[in-house]
Amino acid sequence: MAKKDDLPAMPFYTGDWFKAGDVRSLTVEQRGIWIDMLFYMWESNERGVLVDASGQPYTISELSRMIGLSEDLLKQNLKQMESKKIFSLRESDGAIFCRRMIKDEAIRKIRKEVGKIGGNRNKEKNLLKQNDKQKDKQITENENEIEDENNSLKEGIIRETTLEPLDERKSQFGGPTFGAVKEFFIQNNRSVDEAVIFWNEYEQKKWYVSNREGEPTRKMKTTRDWMLKAEQWIKKARISEIDKSKNKSEFQQRIENSTYKPAYQTPKNTNCECGCGKSGTMRMDKYLVASRKCYEKLKAEESAGFQILGSVIKSLNNKNEEVPS
C-alpha cells in the first residue's frame, strides 16, 4: 500500500483521458479494466507498477478476481490493450506498468528534493558538494522537464478555455491550418463537416501517420503529405457511400430520385381536361384532372345518374311484384 508521506489523492488528467486516441479506441469494457489497473498501480508499493505487497507481479487469476472478469476474457482484452501500447511490460519480471505514472512519480520526487533545498543556501552548497557533475546535470534536465510540462499544461488550459473560431484555428503540432484543409475538401466536392472531422482526427494524432496497429510511423511535414492523406480519406468516404447506396432497397432509391413521383400525385400547372381552360386542381380518378367547378358538376351528374338508375331498378321490382303467379 502507499506510504503515509505520499499524496492522499491520485492526480487524474481528464484532458488526456478524453483526447488520447489510443485510449478512446478501446472498448467500454477495456477502458473499465484500464482505470481499475491504474488505481491498483497508484496504491502499489512500487508506484506505477502492478505488483503485490511482496513486489511480485499479479498472476492472471489474481488480476481476474481483482477486476471481476473471467481469465479468458481478461487475457483477450489485455492482449488487445498491449498491442495498442496502452501499457508496457517490465523486462525483468513482465510486470505491467504505466509509463506516465512512473514519469510523474520521478518528477514529484525531484520537486520534493529541490523544495527542501530552496530557501537554505548552506544546505544547497553542501548538497552540491556531495553531488558530482552528472547529478547536477540530471537535476537541471529534470527541472527543465518540469518547467516544460507546466508550460504545456498552462497552454492546454488556455487553449481549452479560449477556443478560437473554426476558420482561424491553427495546428499546435506543425500541421496545416483548418482553412487550408477546408479549401481542399471544398475543391474535391466534399462538405465542411467532413473537413472538420478530418482536421480534428489528425490534430489529435499530432499529424502522425499510424499503421494498422495504431502505432505512429512518420509525421506529415509537407503540404503534399497531408493532401495525400486527405485524398485517401475522401476516397474511403466515397467508397463507403457507394456501398451504402448499393444496400438500399429499390423503394428507397426511387424516393431519393428527384424524378420519382408517387402514384395519384396531381402535377402542377395542369389544365382542366373538361376543356374549360381553368387549371386542374382536383383529381377525379387515376387519369382525369378537373377544375373545382367542373369537379362539382361531374360529381352532381354522377350522383343524379345513380338516382335515376336506382329509380329504374325500384320500378322494375314493383312490376315483378304485380305479375300474378
Side-chain angles (χ1 to χ4, degrees):
M1 299 299 291
K3 298 178 182 179
K4 292 182 180 180
D5 58 348
D6 282 348
L7 295 175
M10 170 183 167
F12 190 81
Y13 304 97
T14 56
D16 291 350
W17 180 261
F18 287 112
K19 295 177 182 177
D22 51 355
V23 175
R24 303 318 300 172
S25 66
L26 298 176
T27 63
V28 176
E29 185 177 53
Q30 290 170 355
R31 289 201 291 269
I33 294 172
W34 179 232
I35 196 68
D36 274 5
M37 291 169 62
L38 288 175
F39 292 155
Y40 283 122
M41 285 187 280
W42 175 259
E43 294 294 335
S44 174
N45 285 335
E46 190 175 353
R47 179 157 288 164
V49 185
L50 196 59
V51 293
D52 57 16
S54 63
Q56 296 297 321
Y58 287 106
T59 62
I60 292 295
S61 59
E62 292 174 340
L63 195 58
S64 66
R65 290 193 296 271
M66 292 163 61
I67 296 177
L69 282 178
S70 64
E71 294 185 18
D72 293 338
L73 190 57
L74 181 61
K75 286 180 182 178
Q76 181 181 355
N77 286 319
L78 289 178
K79 185 177 180 180
Q80 295 176 2
M81 293 165 66
E82 183 183 0
S83 65
K84 295 180 181 180
K85 304 297 182 182
I86 301 298
F87 57 80
S88 298
L89 298 177
R90 192 161 60 182
E91 294 182 359
S92 59
D93 54 4
I96 296 174
F97 67 90
C98 175
R99 299 180 294 274
R100 177 66 180 270
M101 193 177 293
I102 290 178
K103 177 183 175 182
D104 289 350
E105 181 66 14
I107 293 174
R108 189 184 70 83
K109 289 181 179 179
I110 293 171
R111 283 177 174 171
K112 186 177 180 180
E113 184 178 356
V114 174
K116 292 179 181 179
I117 299 172
N120 192 333
R121 302 299 300 177
N122 294 328
K123 289 184 179 181
E124 183 178 0
K125 290 180 181 180
N126 293 332
L127 184 62
L128 291 174
K129 288 179 182 179
Q130 294 175 2
N131 295 335
D132 54 8
K133 294 181 180 180
Q134 185 176 2
K135 187 66 175 292
D136 293 338
K137 182 179 179 180
Q138 182 180 1
I139 292 176
T140 304
E141 291 177 352
N142 290 328
E143 288 178 339
N144 292 334
E145 186 177 356
I146 294 169
E147 185 177 358
D148 293 340
E149 184 182 358
N150 291 334
N151 291 335
S152 63
L153 182 60
K154 290 178 182 178
E155 291 177 0
I157 295 172
I158 294 172
R159 196 161 56 245
E160 289 179 2
T161 54
T162 59
L163 195 61
E164 62 273 14
L166 191 61
D167 290 337
E168 300 178 5
R169 292 184 188 177
K170 298 180 180 179
S171 174
Q172 302 294 325
F173 308 101
T177 62
F178 173 75
V181 175
K182 174 184 174 182
E183 183 178 357
F184 182 81
F185 270 72
I186 292 174
Q187 290 175 356
N188 286 271
N189 299 323
R190 307 304 293 184
S191 65
V192 178
D193 292 338
E194 289 180 292
V196 173
I197 296 172
F198 174 81
W199 194 83
N200 287 338
E201 178 181 342
Y202 280 94
E203 182 68 12
Q204 185 179 355
K205 295 179 180 179
K206 301 180 181 179
W207 297 97
Y208 273 92
V209 180
S210 303
N211 56 17
R212 293 182 178 178
E213 289 75 20
E215 299 178 0
T217 55
R218 60 181 178 84
K219 189 168 185 177
M220 304 180 197
K221 296 182 180 180
T222 63
T223 304
R224 177 179 172 82
D225 288 341
W226 71 261
M227 281 187 174
L228 289 174
K229 183 56 65 175
E231 284 181 354
Q232 295 176 3
W233 197 90
I234 291 172
K235 185 177 180 181
K236 289 181 180 179
R238 285 174 177 166
I239 292 173
S240 177
E241 290 172 357
I242 293 172
D243 292 340
K244 287 181 180 179
S245 64
K246 288 181 180 179
N247 294 329
K248 289 181 181 178
S249 63
E250 183 181 356
F251 177 76
Q252 288 177 324
Q253 293 179 8
R254 289 174 60 192
I255 290 295
E256 293 178 358
N257 187 2
S258 59
T259 60
Y260 169 71
K261 296 179 181 178
Y264 299 100
Q265 180 179 357
T266 303
K268 294 182 179 179
N269 301 325
T270 302
N271 293 329
C272 176
E273 297 184 13
C274 295
C276 64
K278 296 183 180 180
S279 60
T281 58
M282 308 298 291
R283 182 176 289 279
M284 295 295 296
D285 54 24
K286 187 173 182 181
Y287 303 102
L288 181 62
V289 178
S291 63
R292 182 173 293 277
K293 185 176 181 180
C294 294
Y295 174 82
E296 293 176 356
K297 181 180 177 181
L298 291 172
K299 283 292 183 183
E301 292 177 355
E302 184 180 357
S303 176
F306 278 115
Q307 290 178 1
I308 295 170
L309 180 61
S311 62
V312 171
I313 294 172
K314 185 176 180 180
S315 62
L316 290 174
N317 291 334
N318 293 333
K319 288 181 179 180
N320 292 332
E321 291 177 359
E322 294 176 356
V323 174
S325 57

